[in-house]
């Protein structure tokens, strides 16, 4: 390990970062690339990284209209799990989980992945039947899952109200012990640095204003920093996917909604796991800084605003206080909203399009963060080979015409 003298540390401390090496370059965009990834969030950066690492494509650009991690990647509650119901979705999320488990080592960057477990609460007999069905389906697919009762919940989460006379009586829960949380900013920064080291150009403050299509083929994009040519374009822009699709003459079966989250003032460590409830539309974990990180369901209206409505906040906090009475006097510190794009079956679109050379990664709804590495892994394969990997083949645009939907509304639960 390189040693630093007290003098060198002081010199660098007073240099105002002038002598520090940047995590990634800020290049001027080239006139053309072998592939372009539109969107500098976690999924887009992961796509570029795996294009370079797994498929040897180094002449790649990531075009981000703002700054890296400034969209949904930095506006979520960072929950990671893979306990989805249907085999198609479960295997895709499980691939992502496996990548999460080695991601810090792979990127040589600590993404602060903490496998503290994820509980999904059941409040009725029907909830428990659904939980048991999902747990059994997970086990058949080789994914860890178990059903726990109120006695075990009371022991594992002492601050959870499991009283039978509570407003939302807790009858049990599912538990995925390998689930947990990660640091959203670190995920974006880690993928950006690793992709840059492999030669990928990360171009910030570069908004795509049009997609050039000639003779049914994508040939490039128009941007605020000039035209850029490429015959292979992957669009990974979350809630704005429909806007980008319209530029190419496509209409996607998705709707965009605001999704809110909020954090409290820091308190002493009291919650060392993740607790979710689809029935009451609330979920909660505690950050390493001591803040309670709380999420709600999506706002009912369509929109592109990074904010939400107060009734959703009020409903979520009412539920959290009922489940955790000890938090009733904790003050909220700040809130934010992301823009989520929801497909009719609550599953993503990872697909080629009718425009040759144009690919879309969208429709993750409220489950995008947990899929970050797996999404990039399969989407890079699709872009490199112009053919879906077997893991994302069920999530093509064609399913909305054939009717082969993968309905994950139940397992998608409250939002994560």
């Amino acid at each position: 390990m390189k040693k630093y003298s007290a003098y060198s540390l002081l010199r660098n401390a007073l240099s105002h970062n002038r002598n520090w090496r940047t995590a990634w370059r800020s290049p001027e965009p080239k006139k053309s690339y072998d592939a372009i990834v539109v969107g500098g969030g976690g999924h887009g950066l992961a796509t570029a990284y795996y294009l370079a690492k797994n498929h040897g494509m180094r002449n790649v650009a990531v075009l981000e209209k703002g700054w890296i991690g400034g969209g949904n990647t930095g506006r979520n509650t960072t929950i990671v799990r893979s306990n989805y119901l249907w085999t198609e979705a479960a295997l895709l999320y499980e691939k992502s989980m496996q990548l999460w488990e080695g991601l810090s080592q792979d990127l040589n960057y600590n993404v602060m992945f903490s496998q503290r477990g994820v509980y999904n609460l059941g409040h009725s007999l029907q909830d428990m039947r659904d939980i048991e069905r999902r747990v059994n389906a997970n086990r058949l697919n080789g994914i860890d899952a178990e059903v726990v009762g109120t006695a075990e919940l009371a022991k594992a989460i002492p601050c959870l109200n499991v009283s039978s006379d509570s407003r939302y009586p807790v009858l049990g829960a599912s538990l995925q012990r390998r689930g947990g949380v990660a640091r959203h900013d670190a995920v974006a920064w880690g993928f950006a640095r690793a992709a840059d080291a492999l030669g990928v150009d990360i171009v910030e403050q570069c908004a795509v204003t049009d997609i050039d299509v000639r003779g049914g083929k994508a040939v490039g994009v128009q941007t605020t920093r000039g035209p850029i040519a490429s015959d292979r374009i992957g669009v990974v822009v979350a809630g704005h996917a429909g806007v980008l699709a319209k530029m190419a003459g496509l209409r996607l079966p998705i709707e965009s909604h605001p999704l809110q989250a909020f954090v409290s003032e820091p308190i002493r460590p009291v919650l060392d796991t993740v607790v979710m409830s689809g029935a009451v539309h609330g979920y909660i974990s505690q950050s390493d800084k001591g803040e309670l990180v709380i999420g709600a369901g999506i706002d009912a209206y369509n929109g592109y605003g990074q904010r939400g409505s107060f009734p959703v906040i009020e409903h979520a906090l009412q539920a959290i206080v009922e489940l955790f009475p000890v938090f009733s006097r904790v003050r909220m510190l700040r809130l934010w909203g992301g823009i989520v794009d929801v497909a009719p079956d609550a599953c993503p679109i990872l697909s080629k399009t009718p425009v040759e050379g144009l690919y879309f990664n969208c429709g993750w709804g409220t489950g995008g963060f947990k899929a970050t590495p797996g999404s990039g892994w399969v989407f890079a394969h699709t872009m490199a080979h112009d053919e879906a990997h077997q893991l994302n083949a069920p999530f093509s645009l064609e399913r909305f015409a054939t009717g082969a939907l993968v309905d994950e509304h139940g397992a998608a639960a409250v939002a994560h």
Side-chain angles (χ1 to χ4, degrees):
M1 181 180 293
K2 186 176 181 180
K3 296 182 180 179
Y4 293 91
S5 67
Y7 171 75
S8 67
L9 289 174
L10 179 62
R11 176 171 54 84
N12 282 287
L14 297 176
S15 70
H16 302 288
N17 299 350
R18 285 194 298 270
N19 300 322
W20 292 17
R21 182 179 178 182
T22 58
W24 57 86
R25 297 167 293 121
S26 298
E28 288 296 319
K30 301 176 186 176
K31 296 296 184 182
S32 66
Y33 290 92
D34 294 336
I36 290 173
V37 178
V38 183
H43 289 234
L45 293 167
T47 300
Y49 171 68
Y50 290 117
L51 277 171
K53 180 191 176 188
N54 295 352
H55 305 285
M57 296 181 65
R58 306 297 178 91
N59 186 28
V60 175
V62 175
L63 307 182
E64 167 56 44
K65 71 174 183 178
W67 66 92
I68 293 302
N72 280 7
T73 299
R75 292 172 170 269
N76 67 85
T77 50
T78 73
I79 297 171
V80 176
R81 62 184 178 90
S82 62
N83 54 346
Y84 279 66
L85 175 62
W86 298 107
T87 297
E88 298 90 339
L91 294 182
L92 178 61
Y93 285 103
E94 178 60 18
K95 174 63 181 180
S96 195
M97 177 70 79
Q98 292 168 4
L99 291 170
W100 276 112
E101 290 173 322
L103 193 60
S104 291
Q105 292 78 11
D106 184 30
L107 300 180
N108 190 28
Y109 197 100
N110 185 10
V111 300
M112 301 173 68
F113 179 44
S114 170
Q115 292 179 285
R116 60 187 64 183
V118 176
Y119 290 86
N120 289 78
L121 302 180
H123 303 281
S124 66
L125 291 176
Q126 185 58 51
D127 284 349
M128 294 309 300
R129 294 188 189 103
D130 292 340
I131 282 172
E132 290 175 1
R133 181 189 182 198
R134 180 150 51 95
V135 165
N136 289 333
N138 291 159
R139 289 177 172 176
L140 288 172
N141 282 316
I143 298 170
D144 67 303
E146 55 194 279
V147 178
V148 298
T150 53
E152 183 173 347
L153 282 169
K155 182 178 179 180
I157 315 170
C159 57
L160 176 65
N161 181 13
V162 296
S163 171
S164 59
D165 60 358
S166 65
R167 181 181 180 187
Y168 303 110
V170 177
L171 304 186
S174 69
L175 167 62
Q176 184 176 27
R177 296 185 185 273
R178 290 166 59 231
V181 296
R183 174 68 181 179
H184 43 32
D185 293 328
V187 173
W189 299 337
F191 271 119
R193 190 180 75 162
D196 175 85
L198 293 175
V200 173
D201 281 357
I202 297 174
V203 186
E204 299 175 83
Q205 305 298 326
C206 182
V208 171
T209 58
D210 202 3
I211 297 175
D212 296 330
V213 179
R214 297 175 191 165
K217 298 181 180 180
V219 296
V221 294
Q222 299 293 323
T223 80
T224 52
R225 297 178 65 172
I228 305 175
S230 181
D231 59 3
R232 206 173 306 228
I233 302 169
V235 180
V236 197
V237 294
H240 290 95
V243 176
L244 272 291
K246 187 176 181 180
M247 295 177 184
L250 302 175
R251 184 178 180 185
L252 298 178
I254 56 174
E255 292 183 340
S256 294
H257 294 259
L259 175 67
Q260 295 178 80
F262 23 96
V263 299
S264 75
E265 60 185 342
I267 61 175
R268 293 177 58 185
V270 65
L271 185 63
D272 61 358
T273 188
V274 180
V275 180
M276 303 171 53
S277 173
V280 302
H281 296 289
Y283 48 98
I284 185 170
S285 64
Q286 188 170 18
S287 75
D288 295 334
K289 294 187 294 183
E291 301 165 332
L292 297 175
V293 183
I294 301 170
I298 62 174
D299 280 78
Y301 62 85
N302 300 128
Y304 296 101
Q306 291 179 320
R307 58 189 182 276
S309 59
F310 185 76
V312 173
I313 301 172
E314 185 178 34
H315 175 74
L317 290 180
Q318 285 175 343
I320 292 299
V321 170
E322 291 284 348
L323 293 172
F324 297 92
V326 69
F327 297 151
S328 62
R329 297 180 66 182
V330 177
R331 296 182 179 183
M332 289 295 102
L333 194 64
R334 63 185 183 277
L335 63 88
W336 64 89
I339 310 166
V340 297
D341 48 331
V342 184
D345 58 357
C347 275
I349 297 169
L350 290 151
S351 180
K352 300 164 58 176
T353 72
V355 176
E356 185 178 339
L358 182 62
Y359 312 84
F360 267 81
N361 178 342
C362 60
W364 289 97
T366 57
F369 181 78
K370 70 175 68 67
T372 299
S375 163
W377 195 88
V378 297
F379 197 51
H381 179 281
T382 302
M383 289 184 63
H385 298 280
D386 194 38
E387 183 179 8
H389 188 276
Q390 63 181 2
L391 287 174
N392 67 298
F395 303 105
S396 71
L397 275 169
E398 295 175 356
R399 76 182 191 268
F400 299 104
T402 64
L405 304 182
V406 186
D407 188 356
E408 282 290 357
H409 281 94
V414 52
H416 281 276

